Amino acid sequence: MTELIDGNVHAANVRARTKVRAEAFAAAHGRKPRLDVVIVGNNPASRAYVNTKAKMAHETAIDGRLIELPETVSKEELLGVIAGLNADAGVDGILVQLPLPDHLDGQMMIDAIHPAKDVDGFHPMNVGKLFTASKIDPEAMLIPCTPLGSLLMLLDTVGKEGLSGKKAVVVGRSNIVGKPMAQLLLAYDCTVTIAHSRTKDLPAVCREADILVAAVGRPEMVKGDWITDGAVVIDVGINRVPTEDGKGRIVGDVATKEAMGKASYITPVPGGVGKMTVACLLHNTIVAAEARVKG
């Protein structure tokens, strides 16, 4: 039997732990931890995502502000906003919602955020720490939220011993998910292969995995016969595919129905990793707040 790894349950647990830390922070320092989110333009998906973040932050005892800028904002103006947030001692975390309009360089804006306030974990300094640290501590490091959420679900599901020595295959090589996910699995003593759409005989590579992480952004690319019996599958993909009624439906990068009965555990889509991403953003906010007051 394949068991579903319920992202709602795991995310609720992360938020509960974060709320305890946030309330302790407020009691000790006379203010709540604070996350400021910058959004440019009116992308509907970004708006919905930002609203979810704001709601969850409020429920987790984290303060914050939404800074809304027009789609026509210039590079210099946006950099000025980020500089102001960097200089504001009351701001613990800064997030610039991506994607940005075409005339703005997203990586430039990420690089402009002070590393200590980079709750997305994308600043080159935080990425460097992740890749060079002798020990990974999810409770004290700013780690990209989706890989962190995936790791926490794995740890809660199979434990450290369930990862140690196992063969892990990460399908996807992005800076946002694939590469940091591989590094996290290495830190927990997996033997890791990073594969991608051009990997020779990708199905055979996937069949070697005890732990299979799919993060390619292609609907149901990973078929059931790519999965070895008993593997643990983390499906990071969130893809909308058309339906006859025109509404579309959300699927992952794994053909979940085909995987059922083969995988020992699998994250559903929706209701899996996506729920953990926001929870880990709030987790990173309290990590950043605690680190800043310690100096």
Side-chain angles (χ1 to χ4, degrees):
M1 294 292 293
T2 300
E3 293 187 38
L4 294 178
I5 304 174
D6 191 335
N8 293 293
V9 172
H10 288 274
N13 290 338
V14 172
R15 292 196 304 271
R17 295 194 297 267
T18 299
K19 184 177 182 179
V20 170
R21 291 170 71 174
E23 289 175 340
F25 180 93
H29 302 287
R31 67 172 183 86
K32 292 181 178 180
R34 179 172 154 189
L35 168 65
D36 280 10
V37 178
V38 180
I39 185 168
V40 179
N42 290 296
N43 182 297
S46 292
R47 285 276 168 183
Y49 194 37
V50 164
N51 289 339
T52 299
K53 291 173 181 175
K55 179 177 181 292
M56 295 299 180
H58 176 74
E59 294 175 356
T60 315
I62 290 174
D63 205 354
R65 181 175 50 148
L66 177 61
I67 301 168
E68 301 179 83
L69 300 174
E71 190 163 353
T72 55
V73 68
S74 70
K75 174 185 73 174
E76 291 76 17
E77 289 169 328
L78 181 51
L79 288 171
V81 169
I82 295 170
L85 297 175
N86 285 338
D88 189 336
V91 176
D92 299 297
I94 303 168
L95 184 145
V96 177
Q97 182 64 42
L98 302 177
L100 293 171
D102 290 343
H103 69 284
L104 297 171
D105 183 336
Q107 189 60 52
M108 177 186 291
M109 301 309 155
I110 290 169
D111 293 352
I113 297 171
H114 193 290
K117 299 187 179 187
D118 165 41
V119 289
D120 255 341
F122 294 154
H123 190 282
M125 185 173 291
N126 289 324
V127 173
K129 288 179 180 178
L130 176 62
F131 276 74
T132 59
S134 58
K135 179 181 178 183
I136 299 295
D137 184 357
E139 299 301 316
M141 295 177 66
L142 295 176
I143 298 170
C145 300
T146 299
L148 175 59
S150 300
L151 173 70
L152 294 179
M153 285 195 291
L154 283 169
L155 290 172
D156 285 344
T157 301
V158 302
K160 290 182 181 179
E161 292 304 313
L163 294 178
S164 181
K166 296 299 175 64
K167 293 181 180 179
V169 174
V170 179
V171 187
R173 49 183 168 176
S174 73
N175 293 331
I176 294 173
V177 180
K179 292 176 185 177
M181 186 74 241
Q183 189 62 26
L184 290 174
L185 290 167
L186 277 173
Y188 282 84
D189 299 321
C190 290
T191 299
V192 181
T193 298
I194 300 180
H196 45 81
S197 60
R198 297 193 179 186
T199 296
K200 185 177 180 180
D201 200 355
L202 180 58
V205 173
C206 291
R207 289 187 199 107
E208 296 176 356
D210 302 307
I211 311 291
L212 179 61
V213 181
V216 287
R218 295 191 179 186
E220 300 183 326
M221 174 181 169
V222 178
K223 306 303 181 185
D225 63 1
W226 296 20
I227 299 167
T228 194
D229 290 343
V232 180
V233 179
I234 302 294
D235 188 352
V236 179
I238 301 177
N239 312 285
R240 182 174 291 277
V241 297
T243 55
E244 291 183 0
D245 60 12
K247 294 181 180 179
R249 64 187 179 94
I250 301 297
V251 301
D253 290 349
V254 178
T256 304
K257 288 183 180 180
E258 296 179 16
M260 299 298 288
K262 297 202 69 177
S264 57
Y265 296 94
I266 191 170
T267 56
V269 178
V273 176
K275 298 292 183 180
M276 285 292 280
T277 299
V278 175
C280 288
L281 173 70
L282 304 176
H283 164 88
N284 277 353
T285 300
I286 187 60
V287 168
E290 290 171 348
R292 291 182 65 246
V293 297
K294 289 177 182 176

